Amino acid sequence: MFRLLKGFGVTLKFFGSKKFTILYPDEKVEMPERFRGIHRFFPDKCIVCNMCVNACPTDVITLTGKPHPDNPKKKVIDTYNIDFQGCILCDFCTEVCPTAAIVMTARYDNLSSYDRANHFKDIDWLSSNEVYGNYTIEEEVDEDEAGEEK
Ligand code: SF4
Ligand code: SF4
């Protein structure tokens, strides 16, 4: 009986306190600023240097380039893929990228699937990856541009 009352006591103690649960997926948890979430790719920034491919410890990035229309000595990105079956969200690819063409976002879900093929994300998916959390791509880009101007 004492244990029962003790249990009710604990329940009553937390009855009016702030809730820690959220109504996922309608509500999202705000992730920390440096959270390593699912990537976003900016094709216009990519210089096809292959550094992200070489840095990836699980070999899940594949890309191809094509000659720049105005300068045949340069390349522009043609295809860019990440196979999220093997990605460990380690951040190596984004750390080595010299132009911030590949960045990590606050996105942490919507990758689960019964079909393995759905984990293979191409340039169109990666460059339109929406971001939610405590910042947006626009804010991040603004910060990058501000940093470049300094
Ligand atoms: S986060 Fe790591 S594992 Fe994932 S693509 Fe980048 S380098 Fe590869
Ligand atoms: S995403 Fe960055 S590191 Fe990868 S090829 Fe493009 S510019 Fe180079």
Short mmCIF file of all heavy atoms in Angstrom, two decimals, residues 39 55-58 60-61 82 86-93 104, ligand 1:
data_model
loop_
_atom_site.label_atom_id
_atom_site.label_comp_id
_atom_site.label_asym_id
_atom_site.label_seq_id
_atom_site.Cartn_x
_atom_site.Cartn_y
_atom_site.Cartn_z
N HIS A 39 22.10 15.75 -45.73
CA HIS A 39 22.77 16.76 -46.53
C HIS A 39 21.87 17.61 -47.43
O HIS A 39 20.81 17.17 -47.85
CB HIS A 39 23.79 16.10 -47.45
CG HIS A 39 24.74 15.20 -46.75
ND1 HIS A 39 24.35 14.05 -46.12
CD2 HIS A 39 26.07 15.26 -46.59
CE1 HIS A 39 25.40 13.45 -45.59
NE2 HIS A 39 26.46 14.17 -45.86
N ALA A 55 37.14 11.86 -49.25
CA ALA A 55 37.10 11.92 -47.79
C ALA A 55 36.08 10.94 -47.19
O ALA A 55 36.19 10.55 -46.03
CB ALA A 55 36.75 13.33 -47.33
N CYS A 56 35.13 10.53 -47.99
CA CYS A 56 34.04 9.70 -47.45
C CYS A 56 34.56 8.32 -47.02
O CYS A 56 35.06 7.56 -47.86
CB CYS A 56 32.94 9.55 -48.49
SG CYS A 56 31.55 8.55 -47.89
N PRO A 57 34.44 7.98 -45.75
CA PRO A 57 34.98 6.70 -45.27
C PRO A 57 34.18 5.49 -45.71
O PRO A 57 34.65 4.36 -45.63
CB PRO A 57 34.95 6.85 -43.74
CG PRO A 57 33.86 7.83 -43.48
CD PRO A 57 33.85 8.77 -44.65
N THR A 58 32.96 5.71 -46.17
CA THR A 58 32.12 4.56 -46.56
C THR A 58 31.84 4.52 -48.06
O THR A 58 31.01 3.71 -48.51
CB THR A 58 30.78 4.60 -45.78
OG1 THR A 58 30.17 5.88 -45.98
CG2 THR A 58 30.99 4.36 -44.31
N VAL A 60 30.17 6.36 -50.19
CA VAL A 60 28.76 6.43 -50.60
C VAL A 60 28.46 7.62 -51.52
O VAL A 60 27.33 7.78 -51.97
CB VAL A 60 27.81 6.47 -49.37
CG1 VAL A 60 27.89 5.18 -48.61
CG2 VAL A 60 28.09 7.66 -48.48
N ILE A 61 29.50 8.45 -51.77
CA ILE A 61 29.28 9.59 -52.67
C ILE A 61 29.79 9.24 -54.06
O ILE A 61 30.91 8.74 -54.21
CB ILE A 61 30.01 10.86 -52.17
CG1 ILE A 61 29.58 11.21 -50.75
CG2 ILE A 61 29.73 12.04 -53.11
CD1 ILE A 61 30.32 12.41 -50.16
N ILE A 82 24.29 10.51 -53.13
CA ILE A 82 24.70 9.93 -51.84
C ILE A 82 23.78 8.74 -51.56
O ILE A 82 22.56 8.86 -51.63
CB ILE A 82 24.60 10.93 -50.68
CG1 ILE A 82 25.53 12.12 -50.90
CG2 ILE A 82 24.95 10.25 -49.35
CD1 ILE A 82 25.48 13.18 -49.80
N GLY A 86 24.66 3.67 -46.54
CA GLY A 86 25.98 3.54 -45.93
C GLY A 86 26.48 4.81 -45.26
O GLY A 86 27.50 4.78 -44.57
N CYS A 87 25.77 5.92 -45.44
CA CYS A 87 26.24 7.18 -44.85
C CYS A 87 26.14 7.12 -43.34
O CYS A 87 25.11 6.75 -42.78
CB CYS A 87 25.42 8.34 -45.40
SG CYS A 87 25.83 9.92 -44.64
N ILE A 88 27.24 7.50 -42.68
CA ILE A 88 27.24 7.50 -41.21
C ILE A 88 27.16 8.92 -40.64
O ILE A 88 27.41 9.14 -39.46
CB ILE A 88 28.49 6.77 -40.67
CG1 ILE A 88 29.78 7.37 -41.25
CG2 ILE A 88 28.42 5.28 -40.95
CD1 ILE A 88 31.06 6.79 -40.66
N LEU A 89 26.81 9.88 -41.51
CA LEU A 89 26.63 11.28 -41.10
C LEU A 89 27.83 11.79 -40.30
O LEU A 89 27.68 12.43 -39.26
CB LEU A 89 25.32 11.43 -40.30
CG LEU A 89 24.05 11.05 -41.07
CD1 LEU A 89 22.84 11.03 -40.15
CD2 LEU A 89 23.78 12.00 -42.23
N CYS A 90 29.01 11.47 -40.83
CA CYS A 90 30.25 11.79 -40.09
C CYS A 90 30.70 13.22 -40.30
O CYS A 90 31.54 13.71 -39.56
CB CYS A 90 31.35 10.83 -40.50
SG CYS A 90 31.87 11.02 -42.22
N ASP A 91 30.19 13.88 -41.36
CA ASP A 91 30.54 15.29 -41.61
C ASP A 91 31.86 15.47 -42.37
O ASP A 91 32.24 16.59 -42.67
CB ASP A 91 30.60 16.05 -40.27
CG ASP A 91 30.45 17.56 -40.43
OD1 ASP A 91 29.87 17.99 -41.43
OD2 ASP A 91 30.91 18.30 -39.56
N PHE A 92 32.57 14.39 -42.68
CA PHE A 92 33.86 14.53 -43.37
C PHE A 92 33.71 15.23 -44.72
O PHE A 92 34.50 16.09 -45.08
CB PHE A 92 34.53 13.17 -43.60
CG PHE A 92 35.11 12.55 -42.36
CD1 PHE A 92 34.95 13.13 -41.11
CD2 PHE A 92 35.85 11.38 -42.45
CE1 PHE A 92 35.48 12.55 -39.97
CE2 PHE A 92 36.40 10.79 -41.32
CZ PHE A 92 36.21 11.38 -40.08
N CYS A 93 32.67 14.85 -45.48
CA CYS A 93 32.49 15.42 -46.82
C CYS A 93 32.26 16.92 -46.74
O CYS A 93 32.79 17.68 -47.56
CB CYS A 93 31.32 14.74 -47.53
SG CYS A 93 29.78 14.73 -46.59
N MET A 104 25.57 19.98 -44.14
CA MET A 104 24.64 19.15 -43.38
C MET A 104 23.55 20.04 -42.81
O MET A 104 23.78 21.22 -42.55
CB MET A 104 25.38 18.40 -42.28
CG MET A 104 26.49 17.54 -42.84
SD MET A 104 27.12 16.31 -41.70
CE MET A 104 26.09 14.92 -42.11
S1 SF4 B 1 28.62 12.26 -43.92
FE1 SF4 B 1 30.42 10.87 -43.94
S2 SF4 B 1 29.62 8.90 -44.61
FE2 SF4 B 1 28.05 10.43 -45.13
S3 SF4 B 1 28.51 11.01 -47.26
FE3 SF4 B 1 29.60 12.48 -45.94
S4 SF4 B 1 31.66 11.61 -45.66
FE4 SF4 B 1 30.34 9.96 -46.46
#
